[in-house]
Amino acid sequence: MDITLIKRDKKRSDLRNELGISPSTLAKMSNGEYVALDVIGLICEYLDCNVEEVVEFVKIKN
């Protein structure tokens, strides 16, 4: 997501201020924790990008 923010000349604080996304949700994204799909959708709409520009699927090894 950070690369997409940079490309769009945006910062995490813009997501917090303009979309009302909590700092804890942004921290979860940074730490690879669960973030609700509706929040990811809001970010994608705001940044005018596809979901794969915001999230990455990493397969968990068993």
Side-chain angles (χ1 to χ4, degrees):
M1 176 177 76
D2 291 326
I3 293 171
T4 304
L5 286 170
I6 292 167
K7 287 180 182 177
R8 306 287 195 286
D9 195 31
K10 299 288 183 183
K11 298 178 183 173
R12 288 176 175 261
S13 60
D14 295 324
L15 298 178
R16 194 174 62 241
N17 297 332
E18 296 182 33
L19 297 179
I21 295 174
S22 71
S24 62
T25 299
L26 292 172
K28 286 180 181 182
M29 290 186 81
S30 295
N31 295 327
E33 297 176 30
Y34 172 80
V35 176
L37 190 55
D38 60 332
V39 173
I40 294 169
L42 282 174
I43 294 170
C44 289
E45 286 181 13
Y46 176 73
L47 296 175
D48 190 29
C49 68
N50 295 320
V51 69
E52 57 270 8
E53 294 179 74
V54 175
V55 298
E56 177 184 12
F57 177 76
V58 178
K59 191 173 183 177
I60 299 172
K61 297 178 183 178
N62 292 335

